[in-house]
Coordinates of all heavy atoms in Angstrom, one line a residue:
M16 N 9.0 57.4 -11.4 CA 8.7 56.9 -10.0 C 7.6 55.9 -10.1 O 7.6 55.0 -9.3 CB 8.4 58.1 -9.2 CG 8.2 57.8 -7.8 SD 9.7 58.0 -6.9 CE 9.1 57.8 -5.3
L17 N 6.6 56.1 -10.9 CA 5.5 55.2 -11.0 C 5.9 53.9 -11.5 O 5.4 52.8 -11.0 CB 4.4 55.9 -11.9 CG 3.1 55.1 -12.1 CD1 2.4 54.9 -10.8 CD2 2.2 55.7 -13.1
V18 N 6.8 53.8 -12.5 CA 7.3 52.6 -13.0 C 8.0 51.8 -11.9 O 7.9 50.6 -11.8 CB 8.2 52.8 -14.2 CG1 8.9 51.5 -14.7 CG2 7.4 53.5 -15.3
T19 N 8.8 52.5 -11.1 CA 9.5 51.8 -10.0 C 8.6 51.2 -9.0 O 8.8 50.0 -8.5 CB 10.4 52.8 -9.3 OG1 11.2 53.5 -10.3 CG2 11.3 52.2 -8.3
R20 N 7.5 51.8 -8.6 CA 6.6 51.3 -7.7 C 5.9 50.0 -8.3 O 5.7 49.0 -7.6 CB 5.5 52.3 -7.3 CG 6.0 53.3 -6.4 CD 4.9 54.2 -5.9 NE 5.4 55.3 -5.1 CZ 4.8 56.4 -4.7 NH1 3.5 56.4 -5.0 NH2 5.3 57.3 -4.0
Q21 N 5.5 50.1 -9.5 CA 4.8 49.0 -10.2 C 5.8 47.8 -10.2 O 5.5 46.6 -10.0 CB 4.4 49.3 -11.6 CG 3.1 50.2 -11.6 CD 2.7 50.6 -13.0 OE1 3.5 50.4 -13.9 NE2 1.5 51.2 -13.1
W22 N 7.1 48.1 -10.6 CA 8.1 47.0 -10.6 C 8.3 46.4 -9.3 O 8.3 45.2 -9.2 CB 9.4 47.6 -11.2 CG 10.4 46.6 -11.4 CD1 10.5 45.7 -12.5 CD2 11.5 46.3 -10.6 NE1 11.6 44.9 -12.3 CE2 12.2 45.2 -11.1 CE3 11.9 46.8 -9.3 CZ2 13.3 44.7 -10.6 CZ3 13.1 46.2 -8.8 CH2 13.7 45.2 -9.4
L23 N 8.4 47.2 -8.2 CA 8.6 46.6 -6.9 C 7.4 45.8 -6.5 O 7.5 44.7 -5.9 CB 8.8 47.8 -5.9 CG 10.1 48.4 -5.9 CD1 10.2 49.6 -4.9 CD2 11.2 47.4 -5.5
F24 N 6.1 46.2 -6.8 CA 5.0 45.5 -6.5 C 5.0 44.1 -7.2 O 4.6 43.1 -6.6 CB 3.7 46.3 -6.9 CG 2.4 45.6 -6.6 CD1 2.0 45.4 -5.3 CD2 1.7 45.0 -7.7 CE1 0.8 44.7 -5.1 CE2 0.5 44.3 -7.4 CZ 0.1 44.2 -6.1
C25 N 5.3 44.1 -8.5 CA 5.4 42.9 -9.3 C 6.5 41.9 -8.7 O 6.2 40.7 -8.6 CB 5.7 43.2 -10.7 SG 4.4 43.9 -11.6
V26 N 7.6 42.4 -8.3 CA 8.6 41.6 -7.7 C 8.2 41.0 -6.4 O 8.4 39.8 -6.1 CB 10.0 42.4 -7.5 CG1 11.0 41.7 -6.7 CG2 10.5 42.8 -8.9
A27 N 7.5 41.8 -5.5 CA 7.0 41.4 -4.3 C 5.9 40.3 -4.4 O 5.9 39.3 -3.8 CB 6.5 42.5 -3.4
A28 N 5.0 40.5 -5.4 CA 4.0 39.6 -5.7 C 4.6 38.3 -6.2 O 4.2 37.2 -5.8 CB 3.0 40.1 -6.7
G29 N 5.5 38.4 -7.1 CA 6.2 37.1 -7.6 C 6.9 36.4 -6.5 O 6.9 35.1 -6.5
A30 N 7.6 37.1 -5.6 CA 8.3 36.4 -4.5 C 7.3 35.7 -3.6 O 7.5 34.6 -3.1 CB 9.1 37.4 -3.8
T31 N 6.2 36.3 -3.4 CA 5.2 35.8 -2.5 C 4.6 34.5 -3.1 O 4.4 33.5 -2.5 CB 4.0 36.8 -2.2 OG1 4.6 37.9 -1.6 CG2 3.0 36.2 -1.3
L32 N 4.3 34.6 -4.4 CA 3.8 33.4 -5.1 C 4.8 32.2 -5.1 O 4.5 31.1 -5.0 CB 3.4 33.7 -6.5 CG 2.1 34.6 -6.7 CD1 1.9 35.0 -8.1 CD2 0.9 33.8 -6.1
A33 N 6.0 32.6 -5.4 CA 7.1 31.5 -5.4 C 7.2 30.9 -4.0 O 7.4 29.7 -3.9 CB 8.4 32.2 -5.8
F34 N 7.2 31.7 -3.0 CA 7.3 31.2 -1.6 C 6.1 30.3 -1.3 O 6.3 29.2 -0.7 CB 7.5 32.3 -0.6 CG 7.6 31.9 0.8 CD1 8.8 31.3 1.2 CD2 6.6 32.0 1.7 CE1 9.0 30.8 2.5 CE2 6.7 31.6 3.0 CZ 7.9 31.0 3.4
T35 N 4.9 30.7 -1.7 CA 3.7 29.9 -1.4 C 3.8 28.6 -2.2 O 3.4 27.5 -1.6 CB 2.5 30.7 -1.8 OG1 2.5 32.0 -1.1 CG2 1.2 30.0 -1.4
G36 N 4.2 28.7 -3.4 CA 4.3 27.4 -4.2 C 5.3 26.5 -3.6 O 5.1 25.2 -3.6
A37 N 6.4 26.9 -3.1 CA 7.4 26.1 -2.5 C 6.9 25.4 -1.2 O 7.1 24.3 -1.0 CB 8.7 26.9 -2.2
G38 N 6.1 26.2 -0.5 CA 5.5 25.6 0.7 C 4.5 24.5 0.4 O 4.4 23.5 1.1
V39 N 3.7 24.7 -0.7 CA 2.7 23.7 -1.0 C 3.4 22.4 -1.5 O 3.0 21.3 -1.2 CB 1.7 24.3 -2.1 CG1 0.9 23.1 -2.7 CG2 0.9 25.3 -1.5
S40 N 4.5 22.6 -2.4 CA 5.2 21.4 -2.9 C 5.9 20.7 -1.7 O 5.9 19.4 -1.7 CB 6.1 21.8 -4.0 OG 7.2 22.6 -3.4
A41 N 6.4 21.4 -0.8 CA 7.0 20.7 0.4 C 6.0 20.0 1.2 O 6.2 18.9 1.8 CB 7.8 21.8 1.2
Q42 N 4.8 20.6 1.3 CA 3.7 20.0 2.1 C 3.3 18.7 1.4 O 3.1 17.7 2.1 CB 2.5 20.9 2.1 CG 1.2 20.4 2.8 CD 1.4 20.1 4.3 OE1 2.2 20.8 4.9 NE2 0.7 19.2 4.8
T43 N 3.1 18.6 0.1 CA 2.7 17.4 -0.6 C 3.8 16.4 -0.6 O 3.5 15.2 -0.6 CB 2.3 17.7 -2.0 OG1 3.4 18.3 -2.7 CG2 1.1 18.6 -2.1
A44 N 5.1 16.8 -0.5 CA 6.1 15.8 -0.4 C 6.2 15.1 0.9 O 6.5 13.9 1.0 CB 7.5 16.5 -0.7
T45 N 5.8 15.8 2.0 CA 5.8 15.2 3.3 C 4.5 14.6 3.7 O 4.4 13.8 4.7 CB 6.2 16.2 4.4 OG1 5.3 17.3 4.4 CG2 7.6 16.7 4.1
D46 N 3.4 14.9 3.0 CA 2.1 14.5 3.4 C 1.4 13.7 2.2 O 0.7 14.3 1.4 CB 1.2 15.7 3.8 CG -0.1 15.3 4.3 OD1 -0.3 14.1 4.6 OD2 -1.0 16.1 4.5
P47 N 1.7 12.4 2.1 CA 1.2 11.7 0.9 C -0.3 11.5 0.8 O -0.9 11.3 -0.2 CB 1.9 10.4 1.0 CG 2.1 10.2 2.4 CD 2.4 11.6 3.0
E48 N -1.0 11.7 1.9 CA -2.4 11.5 2.0 C -3.2 12.7 1.6 O -4.4 12.7 1.5 CB -2.9 11.1 3.4 CG -2.3 9.8 3.9 CD -2.9 8.6 3.0 OE1 -4.1 8.6 2.7 OE2 -2.1 7.7 2.7
G49 N -2.6 13.8 1.3 CA -3.3 15.0 0.9 C -2.9 16.2 1.8 O -2.0 16.0 2.7
L50 N -3.5 17.3 1.6 CA -3.2 18.5 2.4 C -3.4 18.3 3.9 O -2.6 18.7 4.7 CB -4.0 19.7 1.8 CG -3.5 21.0 2.3 CD1 -2.1 21.3 2.0 CD2 -4.4 22.1 1.7
Y51 N -4.6 17.7 4.3 CA -4.9 17.6 5.7 C -5.0 16.2 6.1 O -5.4 15.9 7.3 CB -6.2 18.3 6.0 CG -6.1 19.8 5.7 CD1 -6.7 20.4 4.6 CD2 -5.4 20.6 6.6 CE1 -6.6 21.8 4.4 CE2 -5.3 22.0 6.4 CZ -5.9 22.5 5.3 OH -5.8 23.9 5.1
G52 N -4.7 15.2 5.3 CA -4.8 13.8 5.6 C -3.7 13.4 6.6 O -2.7 14.1 6.7
Q53 N -3.9 12.3 7.2 CA -2.8 11.8 8.2 C -2.2 10.6 7.6 O -2.9 9.7 7.0 CB -3.5 11.5 9.5 CG -4.0 12.8 10.2 CD -4.7 12.4 11.5 OE1 -5.0 11.3 11.8 NE2 -4.9 13.4 12.4
E54 N -0.9 10.4 7.8 CA -0.3 9.2 7.4 C -0.7 8.1 8.3 O -0.9 8.2 9.5 CB 1.2 9.4 7.5 CG 2.0 8.2 7.0 CD 3.5 8.4 7.0 OE1 3.9 9.6 7.1 OE2 4.2 7.4 7.0
P55 N -1.0 6.9 7.8 CA -1.5 5.8 8.6 C -0.4 5.3 9.6 O 0.8 5.4 9.4 CB -1.8 4.7 7.6 CG -1.2 5.0 6.3 CD -0.9 6.5 6.4
T56 N -0.9 4.9 10.8 CA 0.0 4.4 11.8 C 0.5 3.0 11.5 O 0.0 2.4 10.5 CB -0.7 4.4 13.2 OG1 -1.8 3.4 13.1 CG2 -1.3 5.7 13.6
R57 N 1.5 2.6 12.2 CA 2.0 1.2 12.0 C 0.9 0.2 12.2 O 0.9 -0.8 11.5 CB 3.2 1.0 12.9 CG 4.4 1.8 12.5 CD 5.6 1.7 13.5 NE 5.8 0.4 14.0 CZ 6.6 0.1 15.0 NH1 7.3 1.1 15.6 NH2 6.8 -1.2 15.3
L58 N 0.1 0.4 13.2 CA -1.0 -0.5 13.4 C -2.0 -0.6 12.3 O -2.4 -1.7 11.9 CB -1.8 -0.2 14.7 CG -3.0 -1.0 15.1 CD1 -2.5 -2.5 15.4 CD2 -3.7 -0.4 16.3
E59 N -2.3 0.6 11.7 CA -3.2 0.6 10.6 C -2.6 -0.1 9.4 O -3.3 -0.8 8.6 CB -3.6 2.0 10.2 CG -4.5 2.7 11.3 CD -4.6 4.2 11.1 OE1 -3.8 4.8 10.4 OE2 -5.6 4.7 11.7
K60 N -1.3 0.1 9.1 CA -0.6 -0.5 8.0 C -0.6 -2.0 8.2 O -0.9 -2.8 7.3 CB 0.8 0.0 7.9 CG 0.9 1.4 7.4 CD 2.4 1.8 7.3 CE 2.6 3.3 7.0 NZ 4.0 3.7 7.0
S61 N -0.3 -2.5 9.4 CA -0.3 -3.9 9.7 C -1.7 -4.5 9.5 O -1.8 -5.6 8.9 CB 0.2 -4.2 11.1 OG 0.2 -5.5 11.4
S62 N -2.7 -3.9 10.0 CA -4.0 -4.3 9.9 C -4.5 -4.5 8.4 O -5.1 -5.4 8.0 CB -5.0 -3.4 10.6 OG -6.3 -3.9 10.5
K63 N -4.1 -3.5 7.6 CA -4.4 -3.5 6.2 C -3.7 -4.7 5.5 O -4.3 -5.4 4.6 CB -4.0 -2.2 5.5 CG -4.4 -2.1 4.1 CD -4.0 -0.7 3.6 CE -4.4 -0.6 2.1 NZ -4.1 0.7 1.6
M64 N -2.4 -5.0 5.9 CA -1.7 -6.1 5.3 C -2.3 -7.4 5.7 O -2.5 -8.3 4.8 CB -0.2 -6.0 5.8 CG 0.6 -4.9 5.1 SD 2.2 -4.8 5.8 CE 2.9 -6.3 5.2
W65 N -2.7 -7.6 6.9 CA -3.4 -8.8 7.4 C -4.7 -9.0 6.7 O -5.1 -10.1 6.3 CB -3.5 -8.8 8.9 CG -2.3 -9.3 9.6 CD1 -1.4 -8.5 10.3 CD2 -1.8 -10.6 9.7 NE1 -0.4 -9.2 10.8 CE2 -0.6 -10.5 10.5 CE3 -2.2 -11.8 9.2 CZ2 0.2 -11.6 10.8 CZ3 -1.4 -12.9 9.5 CH2 -0.2 -12.8 10.3
N66 N -5.5 -8.0 6.5 CA -6.8 -8.1 5.9 C -6.6 -8.5 4.4 O -7.4 -9.3 3.9 CB -7.5 -6.7 6.0 CG -8.1 -6.5 7.3 OD1 -8.3 -7.4 8.1 ND2 -8.3 -5.2 7.7
Q67 N -5.6 -7.9 3.7 CA -5.4 -8.3 2.3 C -4.9 -9.7 2.2 O -5.3 -10.4 1.3 CB -4.3 -7.3 1.7 CG -4.1 -7.6 0.2 CD -5.4 -7.5 -0.6 OE1 -6.1 -6.5 -0.5 NE2 -5.7 -8.6 -1.4
S68 N -4.1 -10.1 3.2 CA -3.6 -11.5 3.2 C -4.8 -12.5 3.4 O -4.9 -13.5 2.7 CB -2.6 -11.7 4.3 OG -2.1 -13.1 4.3
D69 N -5.7 -12.1 4.3 CA -6.9 -12.9 4.5 C -7.8 -13.0 3.2 O -8.4 -14.0 2.9 CB -7.7 -12.4 5.7 CG -7.1 -12.7 7.0 OD1 -6.2 -13.6 7.0 OD2 -7.4 -12.1 8.0
T70 N -7.9 -11.8 2.6 CA -8.7 -11.7 1.3 C -8.1 -12.7 0.3 O -8.8 -13.4 -0.4 CB -8.7 -10.3 0.8 OG1 -9.3 -9.5 1.8 CG2 -9.6 -10.2 -0.5
C71 N -6.8 -12.7 0.2 CA -6.1 -13.6 -0.8 C -6.5 -15.1 -0.4 O -6.7 -15.9 -1.3 CB -4.6 -13.4 -0.8 SG -4.0 -11.9 -1.6
G72 N -6.5 -15.4 0.8 CA -6.8 -16.8 1.2 C -8.3 -17.1 0.9 O -8.5 -18.2 0.4
K73 N -9.2 -16.2 1.2 CA -10.6 -16.4 0.8 C -10.8 -16.6 -0.7 O -11.5 -17.5 -1.1 CB -11.4 -15.3 1.4 CG -11.5 -15.2 2.9 CD -12.3 -14.0 3.3 CE -12.2 -13.8 4.8 NZ -12.9 -12.5 5.2
E74 N -10.1 -15.8 -1.4 CA -10.2 -15.9 -2.9 C -9.7 -17.2 -3.4 O -10.3 -17.8 -4.3 CB -9.5 -14.7 -3.6 CG -10.2 -13.4 -3.4 CD -9.4 -12.3 -4.0 OE1 -8.3 -12.5 -4.6 OE2 -9.8 -11.1 -3.9
S75 N -8.6 -17.7 -2.8 CA -8.0 -19.0 -3.3 C -9.0 -20.1 -3.0 O -9.1 -21.0 -3.8 CB -6.7 -19.2 -2.6 OG -6.8 -19.5 -1.2
F76 N -9.7 -20.1 -1.8 CA -10.6 -21.1 -1.5 C -11.9 -21.0 -2.4 O -12.6 -22.0 -2.7 CB -11.0 -21.2 0.0 CG -10.1 -22.1 0.7 CD1 -9.0 -21.5 1.4 CD2 -10.3 -23.4 0.8 CE1 -8.2 -22.4 2.1 CE2 -9.5 -24.2 1.5 CZ -8.4 -23.7 2.2
Q77 N -12.3 -19.8 -2.8 CA -13.4 -19.6 -3.6 C -13.2 -20.1 -5.0 O -14.0 -20.7 -5.7 CB -13.9 -18.2 -3.7 CG -14.5 -17.7 -2.4 CD -14.8 -16.2 -2.4 OE1 -14.3 -15.5 -3.3 NE2 -15.5 -15.7 -1.4
K78 N -11.9 -19.9 -5.5 CA -11.6 -20.4 -6.8 C -11.4 -21.9 -6.9 O -11.7 -22.5 -7.9 CB -10.3 -19.6 -7.3 CG -10.6 -18.2 -7.7 CD -9.4 -17.6 -8.4 CE -9.7 -16.1 -8.7 NZ -10.4 -16.0 -10.0
F79 N -10.8 -22.5 -5.9 CA -10.5 -23.9 -5.9 C -11.0 -24.5 -4.6 O -10.3 -24.8 -3.6 CB -9.0 -24.1 -6.0 CG -8.3 -23.3 -7.1 CD1 -7.6 -22.2 -6.9 CD2 -8.5 -23.8 -8.4 CE1 -7.1 -21.5 -8.0 CE2 -7.9 -23.1 -9.5 CZ -7.2 -22.0 -9.2
P80 N -12.3 -24.8 -4.5 CA -12.9 -25.2 -3.3 C -12.7 -26.7 -3.0 O -13.0 -27.1 -1.8 CB -14.4 -25.0 -3.5 CG -14.6 -25.0 -5.0 CD -13.3 -24.6 -5.6
D81 N -12.2 -27.5 -3.9 CA -12.1 -29.0 -3.6 C -10.9 -29.3 -2.7 O -9.9 -28.6 -2.7 CB -12.0 -29.8 -4.9 CG -10.8 -29.3 -5.8 OD1 -10.5 -28.1 -5.6 OD2 -10.3 -30.1 -6.6
Y82 N -11.1 -30.3 -1.9 CA -10.1 -30.7 -0.9 C -9.3 -31.8 -1.4 O -9.2 -32.9 -0.7 CB -10.8 -31.0 0.5 CG -11.3 -29.7 1.2 CD1 -12.6 -29.3 1.1 CD2 -10.4 -29.0 2.0 CE1 -13.0 -28.2 1.7 CE2 -10.8 -27.9 2.6 CZ -12.1 -27.4 2.5 OH -12.6 -26.3 3.1
T83 N -8.7 -31.7 -2.5 CA -7.8 -32.7 -3.1 C -6.4 -32.2 -3.1 O -6.2 -31.0 -2.9 CB -8.3 -33.1 -4.5 OG1 -8.2 -31.9 -5.3 CG2 -9.7 -33.6 -4.5
A84 N -5.5 -33.0 -3.4 CA -4.1 -32.6 -3.4 C -3.9 -31.6 -4.6 O -3.2 -30.6 -4.5 CB -3.1 -33.8 -3.6
E85 N -4.6 -31.9 -5.7 CA -4.5 -31.0 -6.8 C -5.1 -29.6 -6.5 O -4.5 -28.6 -6.8 CB -5.2 -31.6 -8.0 CG -5.1 -30.8 -9.3 CD -5.8 -31.4 -10.5 OE1 -6.0 -32.6 -10.4 OE2 -6.2 -30.6 -11.4
G86 N -6.2 -29.6 -5.8 CA -6.8 -28.4 -5.4 C -6.0 -27.6 -4.4 O -5.9 -26.3 -4.5
A87 N -5.3 -28.3 -3.5 CA -4.4 -27.6 -2.6 C -3.2 -27.0 -3.3 O -2.8 -25.8 -3.0 CB -3.9 -28.6 -1.5
L88 N -2.7 -27.7 -4.3 CA -1.6 -27.1 -5.1 C -2.0 -25.8 -5.8 O -1.3 -24.8 -5.9 CB -1.0 -28.1 -6.1 CG -0.2 -29.3 -5.5 CD1 0.1 -30.3 -6.6 CD2 1.1 -28.7 -4.9
K89 N -3.2 -25.9 -6.4 CA -3.7 -24.7 -7.1 C -4.0 -23.5 -6.2 O -3.7 -22.4 -6.5 CB -5.0 -25.1 -7.9 CG -4.8 -26.0 -9.1 CD -6.0 -26.3 -9.8 CE -5.8 -27.2 -11.0 NZ -7.1 -27.6 -11.6
R90 N -4.5 -23.9 -5.0 CA -4.8 -22.8 -4.0 C -3.5 -22.1 -3.6 O -3.4 -20.9 -3.5 CB -5.5 -23.4 -2.8 CG -7.0 -23.5 -2.9 CD -7.7 -23.7 -1.6 NE -7.2 -25.0 -0.9 CZ -7.7 -26.2 -1.2 NH1 -8.7 -26.3 -2.0 NH2 -7.3 -27.2 -0.5
D91 N -2.5 -23.0 -3.3 CA -1.2 -22.4 -2.9 C -0.5 -21.6 -4.0 O 0.0 -20.5 -3.7 CB -0.2 -23.6 -2.6 CG -0.5 -24.2 -1.3 OD1 -1.3 -23.6 -0.5 OD2 0.0 -25.3 -1.0
A92 N -0.6 -22.0 -5.3 CA -0.1 -21.2 -6.4 C -0.9 -19.9 -6.5 O -0.2 -18.8 -6.7 CB -0.2 -22.0 -7.7
Y93 N -2.2 -19.9 -6.4 CA -3.0 -18.7 -6.4 C -2.6 -17.8 -5.3 O -2.5 -16.6 -5.4 CB -4.5 -19.0 -6.4 CG -5.3 -17.8 -6.5 CD1 -5.6 -17.2 -7.7 CD2 -5.8 -17.1 -5.4 CE1 -6.4 -16.0 -7.8 CE2 -6.6 -16.0 -5.4 CZ -6.8 -15.5 -6.7 OH -7.6 -14.3 -6.8
M94 N -2.5 -18.4 -4.1 CA -2.2 -17.6 -2.9 C -0.8 -16.9 -3.0 O -0.7 -15.7 -2.7 CB -2.2 -18.5 -1.7 CG -2.0 -17.8 -0.4 SD -3.5 -17.0 0.1 CE -3.0 -16.5 1.7
R95 N 0.2 -17.6 -3.5 CA 1.5 -17.0 -3.7 C 1.4 -15.8 -4.7 O 2.0 -14.8 -4.5 CB 2.5 -18.0 -4.2 CG 3.1 -18.9 -3.1 CD 4.3 -19.7 -3.6 NE 3.9 -20.6 -4.7 CZ 3.4 -21.8 -4.5 NH1 3.3 -22.3 -3.3 NH2 3.1 -22.6 -5.6
D96 N 0.7 -16.0 -5.8 CA 0.6 -15.0 -6.8 C -0.1 -13.8 -6.2 O 0.3 -12.6 -6.5 CB -0.1 -15.5 -8.0 CG 0.7 -16.5 -8.8 OD1 1.9 -16.5 -8.6 OD2 0.1 -17.2 -9.6
C97 N -1.2 -14.0 -5.5 CA -2.0 -12.9 -4.9 C -1.1 -12.1 -3.9 O -1.1 -10.9 -3.9 CB -3.2 -13.4 -4.2 SG -4.3 -12.2 -3.6
L98 N -0.4 -12.8 -3.0 CA 0.4 -12.1 -2.1 C 1.6 -11.4 -2.7 O 1.9 -10.3 -2.3 CB 1.0 -13.2 -1.1 CG 0.0 -13.8 -0.1 CD1 0.7 -14.9 0.7 CD2 -0.7 -12.8 0.8
R99 N 2.1 -12.0 -3.8 CA 3.2 -11.3 -4.5 C 2.7 -10.0 -5.2 O 3.4 -9.0 -5.2 CB 3.8 -12.2 -5.5 CG 5.1 -11.7 -6.2 CD 5.7 -12.7 -7.2 NE 6.0 -14.0 -6.5 CZ 5.5 -15.2 -6.9 NH1 4.7 -15.2 -8.0 NH2 5.8 -16.3 -6.3
K100 N 1.5 -10.1 -5.7 CA 0.9 -9.0 -6.4 C 0.7 -7.8 -5.5 O 0.8 -6.6 -5.8 CB -0.4 -9.4 -7.1 CG -1.1 -8.3 -7.8 CD -2.4 -8.8 -8.6 CE -3.5 -9.1 -7.6 NZ -4.7 -9.4 -8.2
H101 N 0.3 -8.1 -4.2 CA 0.1 -7.1 -3.2 C 1.3 -6.8 -2.3 O 1.1 -6.1 -1.3 CB -1.1 -7.5 -2.3 CG -2.4 -7.5 -3.1 ND1 -3.1 -6.4 -3.6 CD2 -3.2 -8.6 -3.5 CE1 -4.1 -6.7 -4.2 NE2 -4.2 -8.1 -4.2
H102 N 2.4 -7.3 -2.7 CA 3.7 -7.0 -2.0 C 3.6 -7.4 -0.5 O 4.0 -6.7 0.4 CB 4.1 -5.5 -2.1 CG 4.2 -5.0 -3.5 ND1 5.1 -5.4 -4.4 CD2 3.3 -4.2 -4.2 CE1 4.9 -4.9 -5.6 NE2 3.8 -4.1 -5.5
L103 N 3.1 -8.6 -0.3 CA 3.0 -9.2 1.1 C 3.9 -10.4 1.3 O 4.3 -11.0 0.3 CB 1.5 -9.6 1.3 CG 0.5 -8.5 1.3 CD1 -0.9 -9.1 1.3 CD2 0.7 -7.5 2.4
P104 N 4.3 -10.7 2.5 CA 5.2 -11.8 2.7 C 4.5 -13.1 2.5 O 3.2 -13.2 2.7 CB 5.6 -11.7 4.2 CG 4.5 -10.8 4.8 CD 4.0 -9.9 3.7
P105 N 5.2 -14.1 2.0 CA 4.5 -15.4 1.7 C 4.1 -16.2 3.0 O 4.6 -16.0 4.1 CB 5.6 -16.2 1.0 CG 6.9 -15.6 1.5 CD 6.6 -14.2 1.8
R106 N 3.2 -17.1 2.8 CA 2.7 -18.0 3.8 C 3.3 -19.4 3.6 O 3.8 -19.7 2.5 CB 1.2 -18.1 3.8 CG 0.4 -16.9 4.3 CD -1.0 -17.2 4.4 NE -1.8 -16.1 4.9 CZ -3.2 -16.2 5.0 NH1 -3.8 -17.3 4.6 NH2 -3.8 -15.2 5.4
N107 N 3.2 -20.2 4.6 CA 3.6 -21.6 4.4 C 2.6 -22.3 3.4 O 1.4 -22.0 3.4 CB 3.6 -22.4 5.7 CG 4.7 -22.0 6.6 OD1 5.7 -21.5 6.1 ND2 4.6 -22.2 7.8
D108 N 3.1 -23.2 2.6 CA 2.2 -24.0 1.7 C 1.3 -24.9 2.5 O 1.7 -25.5 3.4 CB 3.0 -24.7 0.7 CG 3.7 -23.8 -0.3 OD1 3.2 -22.6 -0.4 OD2 4.7 -24.3 -1.0
V109 N 0.1 -25.1 2.0 CA -0.9 -26.0 2.6 C -0.7 -27.4 1.9 O -0.8 -28.4 2.6 CB -2.3 -25.5 2.4 CG1 -3.3 -26.6 2.9 CG2 -2.5 -24.2 3.1
A110 N -0.3 -27.4 0.6 CA -0.2 -28.6 -0.1 C 1.0 -29.4 0.4 O 0.9 -30.7 0.5 CB 0.0 -28.4 -1.6
Q111 N 2.1 -28.8 0.8 CA 3.2 -29.4 1.3 C 3.6 -28.8 2.7 O 4.3 -27.9 2.8 CB 4.4 -29.3 0.4 CG 4.2 -29.9 -1.0 CD 5.3 -29.6 -1.9 OE1 6.3 -28.9 -1.6 NE2 5.2 -30.2 -3.1
P112 N 2.9 -29.4 3.7 CA 3.1 -28.8 5.1 C 4.6 -29.0 5.5 O 5.3 -29.8 5.0 CB 2.2 -29.6 6.0 CG 1.7 -30.7 5.2 CD 2.0 -30.5 3.7
L113 N 5.0 -28.2 6.5 CA 6.3 -28.3 7.1 C 6.5 -29.7 7.7 O 5.6 -30.2 8.3 CB 6.5 -27.2 8.1 CG 6.5 -25.8 7.6 CD1 6.6 -24.8 8.8 CD2 7.7 -25.5 6.7
P114 N 7.7 -30.2 7.6 CA 8.0 -31.5 8.2 C 7.9 -31.4 9.8 O 8.2 -30.4 10.3 CB 9.4 -31.9 7.8 CG 10.0 -30.6 7.4 CD 8.9 -29.7 7.0
R115 N 7.5 -32.5 10.4 CA 7.4 -32.6 11.8 C 8.8 -32.6 12.5 O 9.7 -33.2 12.0 CB 6.6 -33.8 12.3 CG 5.2 -33.8 11.8 CD 4.5 -35.0 12.4 NE 3.2 -35.1 11.8 CZ 2.3 -36.0 12.1 NH1 2.7 -37.0 12.9 NH2 1.2 -36.1 11.5
R116 N 8.8 -32.0 13.6 CA 10.1 -32.0 14.4 C 10.1 -33.4 15.2 O 9.2 -33.8 15.7 CB 10.1 -30.9 15.4 CG 10.3 -29.5 14.7 CD 10.5 -28.5 15.8 NE 10.5 -27.2 15.1 CZ 10.6 -26.0 15.8 NH1 10.6 -26.0 17.1 NH2 10.6 -24.9 15.1
Q117 N 11.3 -33.9 15.2 CA 11.5 -35.2 15.9 C 12.0 -35.0 17.3 O 12.8 -34.2 17.6 CB 12.4 -36.1 15.1 CG 11.8 -36.5 13.8 CD 10.6 -37.4 13.9 OE1 10.5 -38.2 14.9 NE2 9.8 -37.4 12.9

């Protein structure tokens, strides 16, 4: 009888641990920011993307500050690479502006 009680206790403890572990793994799958973190809102995501895009623009002007055609081409190339690296949408080129509408 003593062996049966110990066995039942071990099975119950194992089931409790398995259930708790499944709950934690499900929590981390739905909550990428951590156990109590909040997922960023669409506004926060958009703001972060715009800030990173502005940072890429500032870096391109810091690396190539001259206002020549060659400098503009280098800034545009750096800007495209920076935006691509951060998975952001491209901007219009400064070196070759869009044609005017007639």
Side-chain angles (χ1 to χ4, degrees):
M16 184 94 171
L17 182 62
V18 173
T19 307
R20 285 185 188 174
Q21 288 178 346
W22 185 80
L23 285 174
F24 179 74
C25 289
V26 169
T31 303
L32 287 175
F34 181 72
T35 305
V39 169
S40 66
Q42 174 71 25
T43 56
T45 58
D46 188 12
E48 295 294 320
L50 189 58
Y51 296 107
Q53 296 176 343
E54 185 175 339
T56 63
R57 289 173 43 191
L58 178 63
E59 291 168 341
K60 288 179 186 178
S61 176
S62 178
K63 186 176 180 181
M64 289 175 66
W65 278 104
N66 286 337
Q67 183 58 52
S68 180
D69 289 342
T70 301
C71 287
K73 289 175 188 175
E74 288 175 2
S75 69
F76 270 97
Q77 288 173 351
K78 287 190 180 275
F79 308 103
D81 56 334
Y82 285 95
T83 61
E85 184 180 336
L88 287 172
K89 289 180 181 179
R90 278 193 301 273
D91 286 343
Y93 181 84
M94 184 74 170
R95 278 191 300 273
D96 290 341
C97 183
L98 293 174
R99 189 178 304 123
K100 182 175 72 173
H101 293 288
H102 307 290
L103 297 171
R106 288 185 178 179
N107 289 335
D108 289 341
V109 176
Q111 298 176 358
L113 294 174
R115 294 184 189 179
R116 292 185 185 179
Q117 297 290 336

